[in-house]
Every structure is written in C-alpha cells, then in structure tokens.
Amino acid sequence: MPPVDRPETRYADAGGVSIAYQVFGQGDVDVVIVGGFATHLDLDWESPLWVRFTAGLATFARVLHFDKRGTGLSDRIDDLPTIEERIDDVRAVMDAAGSERAVLLGISEGAAMSLVFAATHPDRTAGLVLYGGMARATWAPDYPWAAPAEAIIESARELVAPHVYTGEDLEIWMPTYADDPVAQEYAGRYRRAAASPAAMQKLFLMFLDVDVRHVLPIVRVPTLVIHRYGDRVVNRRAGQWMAEQIAGAKYVELPGRDHFPWTADSAAVVAEIREFLTGDRGPAPVADRVLATVLFTDIVGSTERAAALGDAAWRDVLETYQRVVRREVDRHRGREVKSMGDGSLATFDGPGRAVRCAQAIRTEAARLGLEVRSGLHCGEVEVMGDDVGGIAVHVAARIAAVAGPGDVLVSSTVKDLVAGSDIEFADRGTPELRGIDRPWQCFAAG
C-alpha cells in the first residue's frame, strides 16, 4: 500500500484550548483516532510502524488524529482535564475537520474516552473500535482482571518511571522491539516531546481514576473490541468483558504481546477494522519489487570484544556504533531496514552511495576500535512493510559472510554500476557463497 504523506498540523478551538489535529486518507468513513496516555503528532510520522499502520487505515477511511490537551502539540494545561473536557477535544476536532459522524478508534486508555463520547453523542458516533482498552483501570471486587491501584503505582515507580524517558521499558509495552536500541531511543525521545514529567504524573493519576463501566450498557452503536492475547499492559479479559457488556459488540482476539496496534502484525489489526467498517478485509499484502543496493554490515570479533569489555561497557560501545551506522545510512540517503545486535541491514537507491556509506561506517568504526566487514549487492528486492526479501538480499548477506575484517566487499553488479566513479576496486575472485547457485565475482572497495 502507498505510504501516507505527512499531513498538515492544524488547530481546533476547544473552549479556548488549542487542540492540534491532522487529517489524512480519502475513504468514505471518518475515523477519529483517540490515542492513549500521551501522543505527539509530528513524531508519529518518524515511526515506520506508525506510517505502515496509518497507510492501511487511509485506504478505506478519512482519518482524524489529534493530541489531547496537555500533550504533544496541543496546549499545555495546569490542571487535570475532566472527561467532559476531553470529550470536548474530540468534538472540536470533528467540527474543525467538517466531520458530522465518525467512528472512534479508542486505543488503550483512549477506549474509555471513546465510550463516554459514544454514550453522550450517539448522533455523532457512527461506531466504536476499541483496541487494547479497558473500562476500569484498577482492581475492584467485581472487576478482578486489573491490578490493585497500589500495585500499579509500585510497579510504575520501579519498572516504568526510571525508564520512561529512555525507552528501556519497551519489554512492557512492545516486547517485540524490547531489544532494539533504535526503538528505545525513539520511544524516549517521543515521550520527552509528548509530555513533561509533571504532565506525565498527572496523566498517570488520571489513568488510575478511569472507571466507565456504568456507560457500557448505554452504548448503542456498532462496536468492535480488539485485544492481543498476551498484552502485558491491559489483560485481555478486560477487553473481553467490555465487549460482553456492550449490546451487539464483536470481540476479536489476536495473537501477540504488544500493547500498541501499529506494532507486530499491524496488518491483522487493520484488516479487522476494515472488515468491520466496510465488510471487506481488503487485498492480501502484495510485495513491491524495486531495484535496490543491499548493504549488510557486521562487527568482526564482537563476541571476543564483549567478553573482554564486560556486558555494560560492550553495550555502550555497541549503542555508539549503531548510532554511527544510522547516521551514515541517513547521510547517504539509505534506509535502515533492521539492526541485528552487532550487524545491520540497509538499502539504497544508488550503489555509489551504498559503497561510500560502507566505507564511512568502516572509518567511523575504526575510531571506536572496531573492525567491520560489509557486503553489498544490487538487484531486485521485495519490499513488504518495513522488511525486504528476495535473492538480492540473500546474495548480499552471503557476500558479507565471506568478507574479511575491514572489507567492503561488493558483487560484480555493484562494481559495474559505479563504473566511472572514483571508487577503486580489487578483484577478490569468485568465492563460494553458501546457498547461492550461481557464482558471483566479488571486488573489495578501497
């Protein structure tokens, strides 16, 4: 599916409070995303996961997204907002965007707010989609699947608060990406921009007070409740019970442990929403095929170096190295596909830039006392979401595997495509590439 261009940020007036919002997509149904906790409209678009998720929504809906008062690009406030004021935010955004009726996509804590809006303004609510949500935040005798408030406060103090602005708590929120330093850095930066420590504390206290169970029997709009089976933040029983209390609600349970809908298999979430709203799950994912230069890099002797330095010191070195890789890939107009501990995979639309990026990474790594080997090949790759595949990727990986310390080893295809450049190459013959049927002559870039 085509990516969504970053939309313009506009402001709606909610009783004297400016609410930042964006509109994208051209579908026949309006969908208002009511996010959880704290959001930041601009930084959302730096996440490939978010872009992929919203691109799916935009194929069948006109999507309205906003930062709740006190967070992101919306006005900061001194006091905790009431539920009535937060409902005003939704109404103000809909009015500003010219939306008479919309489906509310309530995510996490945003589910409670969406429920109250639907019960209060059924004339403006075309439906509800509640993902990873809850009707009550804490344990009660008749609500046993949430933790007691005291336990939530204690775990937040010990496990979340020390890491909320570093992103090192992703094991709780999105365990699929818990060991990804890029995801951690982004999460910390996102939260720092979304809410200050004082605002974060107020939002947390407000979350503890969430209890809209009395609203559930009043809701009379089509409702879809989606929950991942292993959600570590909100027990799936909270979603299941919520669906049971809403007349005619449909409950869908998906595999996975991540709390956010745009992580892990977000295509399944989009398909469920699309089918619920349109009756059509949409086309099966199709791989885009493009010509690209694939670059694999790997630190030589990383195991021995880690053993010599110790875990803590090695982690510092590795994180510095990974920042170098991301910087050089960005500088040479590439796209980092994934980071794999001491290795990385990136693609480029120009082979010359790919070779120069590998040379720059080699130079910068040497300043850190590291030796890096790189392998490059140019060919047709399959692009599916954030990942890439195909024979060209496998060839590049196998070339990297036979490269020596400090080598920038390229296939003959790459060498031929950069003919006429100032890059010098040394012939390395035709090494055996495991699992690759045809021989490839390889060259080392100087």
Side-chain angles (χ1 to χ4, degrees):
M1 63 190 67
V4 177
D5 292 333
R6 185 185 297 232
E8 176 187 358
T9 299
R10 304 171 183 174
Y11 284 90
D13 181 9
V17 177
S18 295
I19 305 299
Y21 74 97
Q22 296 174 344
V23 181
F24 55 91
Q26 302 294 325
D28 294 330
V29 59
D30 284 356
V31 172
V32 180
I33 298 179
V34 184
F37 223 55
T39 58
H40 194 289
L41 293 180
D42 280 351
L43 290 186
D44 279 329
W45 297 96
E46 293 187 16
S47 166
L49 300 173
W50 168 264
V51 172
R52 180 176 60 184
F53 175 68
T54 51
L57 295 178
T59 60
F60 62 89
R62 187 176 77 121
V63 183
L64 286 61
H65 186 217
F66 69 100
D67 286 336
K68 289 178 280 192
R69 61 180 67 203
T71 70
L73 302 178
S74 293
D75 279 348
R76 297 299 197 250
I77 55 177
D78 294 328
D79 300 318
L80 285 175
T82 64
I83 191 71
E84 181 180 4
E85 289 172 329
R86 302 187 87 175
I87 287 175
D88 286 342
D89 295 349
V90 177
R91 189 169 54 236
V93 168
M94 290 178 63
D95 289 344
S99 177
E100 292 295 327
R101 297 184 78 234
V103 174
L104 270 59
L105 170 53
I107 299 171
S108 188
E109 178 262 338
M113 183 173 157
S114 301
L115 284 163
V116 177
F117 185 95
T120 308
H121 301 288
D123 57 318
R124 302 203 64 176
T125 309
L128 286 176
V129 176
L130 310 175
Y131 173 89
M134 77 299 287
R136 179 182 168 91
T138 60
W139 178 91
D142 56 347
Y143 195 79
W145 29 83
E150 297 78 10
I152 294 176
I153 293 171
E154 181 178 356
S155 62
R157 182 186 302 117
E158 295 181 0
L159 303 176
V160 179
H163 310 296
V164 69
Y165 290 125
T166 66
E168 294 175 315
D169 58 339
L170 291 190
E171 177 63 29
I172 300 170
W173 305 94
M174 40 192 286
T176 301
Y177 302 89
D179 298 324
D180 187 339
V182 177
Q184 289 182 359
E185 185 277 333
Y186 171 75
R189 181 160 51 89
Y190 186 96
R191 293 160 174 173
R192 292 192 298 272
S196 67
M200 198 72 79
Q201 177 72 8
K202 291 178 181 178
L203 292 168
F204 175 68
L205 293 174
M206 184 175 64
F207 166 74
L208 295 179
D209 288 336
V210 167
D211 188 352
V212 298
R213 290 177 294 169
H214 63 284
V215 167
L216 300 179
I218 305 173
V219 173
R220 289 290 185 269
V221 301
T223 301
L224 170 65
V225 179
I226 305 175
H227 221 97
R228 285 197 175 117
Y229 180 86
D231 190 328
R232 294 187 172 187
V233 178
V234 180
N235 190 302
R236 66 184 178 88
R237 291 289 305 280
Q240 188 177 37
W241 180 86
M242 187 166 55
E244 292 169 354
Q245 310 309 308
I246 302 173
K250 178 183 179 181
Y251 177 72
V252 173
E253 195 166 273
L254 298 175
R257 300 180 297 160
D258 291 354
H259 181 58
F260 303 123
W262 47 84
T263 61
D265 185 10
S266 64
V269 178
V270 171
E272 293 294 343
I273 297 173
R274 177 171 181 153
E275 183 178 36
F276 179 71
L277 298 183
T278 70
D280 174 23
R281 292 183 70 86
V286 177
D288 292 328
R289 302 184 69 86
V290 298
L291 180 68
T293 302
V294 181
L295 165 64
F296 277 92
T297 62
D298 180 54
I299 298 175
V300 178
S302 59
T303 302
E304 295 79 4
R305 185 70 184 276
L309 291 177
D311 291 342
W314 173 244
R315 180 177 177 180
D316 290 341
V317 171
L318 188 58
E319 288 180 349
T320 302
Y321 166 73
Q322 288 166 337
R323 285 195 294 271
V324 165
V325 172
R326 290 194 296 274
R327 183 189 70 209
E328 294 302 329
V329 170
D330 287 343
R331 191 165 70 88
H332 290 85
R333 289 169 45 191
R335 181 176 78 88
E336 184 182 40
V337 177
K338 63 181 70 173
S339 175
M340 302 160 286
D342 55 1
S344 66
L345 164 62
T347 59
F348 299 78
D349 59 7
R353 286 191 297 275
V355 173
R356 291 188 175 90
C357 178
Q359 292 172 321
I361 291 172
R362 176 178 61 186
T363 300
E364 295 301 316
R367 294 193 175 104
L368 300 174
L370 302 174
E371 277 191 308
V372 176
R373 57 172 157 244
S374 303
L376 298 95
H377 179 60
C378 184
E380 190 176 50
V381 302
E382 296 180 357
V383 181
M384 293 196 66
D386 298 328
D387 209 353
V388 295
I391 189 63
V393 177
H394 294 296
V395 171
R398 296 298 179 248
I399 291 175
V402 300
D407 276 352
V408 175
L409 198 63
V410 310
S411 67
S412 56
T413 303
V414 173
K415 176 182 177 294
D416 292 344
L417 287 172
V418 298
S421 70
D422 58 356
I423 302 174
E424 297 183 355
F425 294 95
D427 191 346
R428 289 291 183 84
T430 309
E432 181 180 352
L433 304 181
R434 184 170 60 87
I436 306 299
D437 292 336
R438 64 157 290 183
W440 283 99
Q441 188 174 10
C442 293
F443 299 83

